[in-house]
Amino acid sequence: MTRPVSTPLALPASLSEADEAALADLFRRGTPENTLRAWERDLAYIAAWKQARFGAALAWPEEEQVVLRFVLDHSIDLEAEGGQARRAAEVLIAAGLRRSLGCPAPATLDRRVASWRAFHRMKNLPSPFEAPLIRQARGKARRAAAREPNPKSPHPITREVLEAMLKSCDDSHRGTRDRAVLMLGWASGGRRRSEIAGLNCDDIDAREFAAKGLLRIRLLRTKTTGPERAPRLPLKGRAARAVMGWMRLAELEAGPLFRPISLADRPLPRRITADGIRRIIRHRLELAGYPADFATAHGLRSGFLTQAALDGAPLAAAMQLSLHRSAIQAQRYYADVEIAENPAANLLGD
């Protein structure tokens, strides 16, 4: 399947084919890769659902009754239900597009509807999602299916866990790389694995390293920023020395910062993948005496914020590094800290 944004846009007739092609290309270049992939999956799911439910392809703009039926079909547990909704769900399960007959999480429904709306906007078409009945149905569905959110990592990688993982890193190319990956990923604000894997050597500004032991890390793309607002995050002390030690040992001057290591313990020229970052974390957890599934790669992010809360760092200061846009979302990590461990509980001292 081609990228969704390559679908011809329904534009004013005055636009030429060249203008339409340029606009479609602009959407592709101006949309983060992760968003493109999510749109692609969601559109494939929605199209398959309509074909199974109504025996028809998607319409542009879509009819309100079809959108309402989509919301209703994805707001109930179909285990105990029969009829067309269940039969359509079974078709999607057989196609590998749906996991079970259970009611999808409200966030999943919201994301798919958001993707559907995005395509209506790109096609310059009126959106059926603003109809009062559909908006109310979505709100009721969200409340009816509300559930406690599952954490992205079973446990945060706090300082104690991180130190145990770092002790397993020797001075080989693999150990030196893994030490730099873990320390950069944690100390620069809890980076996502895609952000770590996407770093290049020229994203590391070492001009202040000799005098201050300080590196500045440029993140060209994050979940919340793009190249036009690329943040430059500080990396200090042990973490900065770990990154510089890796670059010197591997003799890196250009290209990807983190790379796979061969069986002969030599860095390869290609970029490590996000899944490679996941494998590093699982491997180092096991060597540190933890189960491999003790934490996911997101544990670096949750661990940084959890440790910031434990150490009494202001939320706003932690968010400057984590790059959370929502204080409510970042606050969850602070709220998860055992209240007896909150530094505010000991303001008078022992």
Side-chain angles (χ1 to χ4, degrees):
M1 180 178 176
T2 57
R3 292 288 191 197
V5 289
S6 65
T7 305
L9 304 177
L11 299 168
S14 59
L15 286 183
S16 67
E17 291 185 5
D19 288 336
E20 290 188 24
L23 190 55
D25 179 66
L26 181 62
F27 273 103
R28 280 193 298 273
R29 291 185 289 108
T31 306
E33 280 295 319
N34 287 345
T35 302
L36 290 175
R37 286 192 289 269
W39 283 351
E40 184 178 53
R41 291 192 300 268
D42 290 340
L43 193 65
Y45 180 92
I46 295 165
W49 169 82
K50 187 179 179 185
Q51 186 63 47
R53 191 71 165 83
F54 293 95
L58 291 177
W60 303 99
E62 191 53 84
E63 298 178 32
E64 288 183 14
Q65 65 182 35
V66 172
V67 174
L68 179 60
R69 176 48 55 190
F70 183 83
V71 172
L72 295 176
D73 282 6
H74 292 81
S75 303
I76 55 174
D77 187 340
L78 295 174
E79 292 281 359
E81 297 287 335
Q84 292 181 320
R86 177 169 178 145
R87 287 194 291 272
E90 289 171 342
V91 170
L92 295 174
I93 292 171
L97 296 172
R98 181 169 175 159
R99 293 182 180 179
S100 72
L101 293 172
C103 180
T108 301
L109 176 59
D110 284 346
R111 193 199 68 237
R112 286 174 176 155
V113 168
S115 297
W116 209 350
R117 291 178 66 187
F119 276 93
H120 279 78
R121 289 195 300 269
M122 283 191 292
K123 290 173 174 291
N124 203 32
L125 294 172
S127 169
F129 306 97
E130 303 307 319
L133 181 59
I134 293 175
R135 295 183 67 175
Q136 290 185 51
R138 288 185 60 201
K140 299 296 184 183
R142 198 176 295 114
R143 295 185 185 92
R147 62 189 71 174
E148 186 175 347
N150 292 323
K152 294 181 180 179
S153 179
H155 299 91
I157 298 176
T158 56
R159 185 189 294 118
E160 179 183 358
V161 179
L162 180 69
E163 294 288 9
M165 296 169 71
L166 293 173
K167 286 180 180 178
S168 74
C169 299
D170 58 20
D171 293 329
S172 65
H173 279 97
R174 187 179 302 277
T176 303
R177 179 204 63 181
D178 291 1
R179 183 184 299 112
V181 164
L182 292 171
M183 295 190 82
L184 181 149
W186 197 92
S188 64
R191 304 273 52 88
R192 301 174 180 89
R193 57 180 179 160
S194 60
E195 295 168 358
I196 300 171
L199 287 171
N200 292 316
C201 291
D202 61 3
D203 292 323
I204 306 300
D205 183 348
R207 287 176 293 182
E208 298 174 85
F209 181 72
K212 301 180 181 179
L214 172 67
L215 299 178
R216 296 192 184 274
I217 312 298
R218 178 182 62 183
L219 294 176
L220 283 179
R221 283 200 180 276
T222 73
K223 191 175 180 180
T224 57
T225 62
E228 72 284 354
R229 293 192 298 117
R232 296 177 182 272
L233 301 175
L235 194 69
K236 304 166 67 174
R238 295 167 56 202
R241 292 193 295 274
V243 171
M244 291 302 293
W246 157 246
M247 294 181 70
R248 288 166 179 163
L249 181 64
E251 299 179 344
L252 300 180
E253 296 182 357
L257 176 62
F258 295 119
R259 308 167 183 222
I261 304 295
S262 71
L263 294 177
D265 196 45
R266 301 299 300 174
L268 300 176
R270 68 176 182 272
R271 182 183 306 280
I272 197 171
T273 64
D275 191 59
I277 302 295
R278 179 189 66 83
R279 290 195 296 269
I280 288 172
I281 291 170
R282 288 177 62 88
H283 177 60
R284 293 299 166 183
L285 281 169
E286 287 185 299
L287 292 179
Y290 295 91
D293 60 356
F294 176 83
T296 67
H298 193 267
L300 292 175
R301 189 161 177 79
S302 61
F304 170 80
L305 285 164
T306 300
Q307 194 64 55
L310 288 169
D311 289 356
L315 177 62
M319 288 177 61
Q320 279 190 303
L321 293 178
S322 70
L323 302 180
H324 275 89
R325 286 189 300 185
S326 168
I328 295 175
Q329 186 178 21
Q331 177 65 41
R332 291 173 184 168
Y333 299 102
Y334 276 55
D336 286 343
V337 171
E338 167 59 42
I339 192 167
E341 302 297 328
N342 189 322
N346 195 36
L347 293 181
L348 282 178
D350 296 330

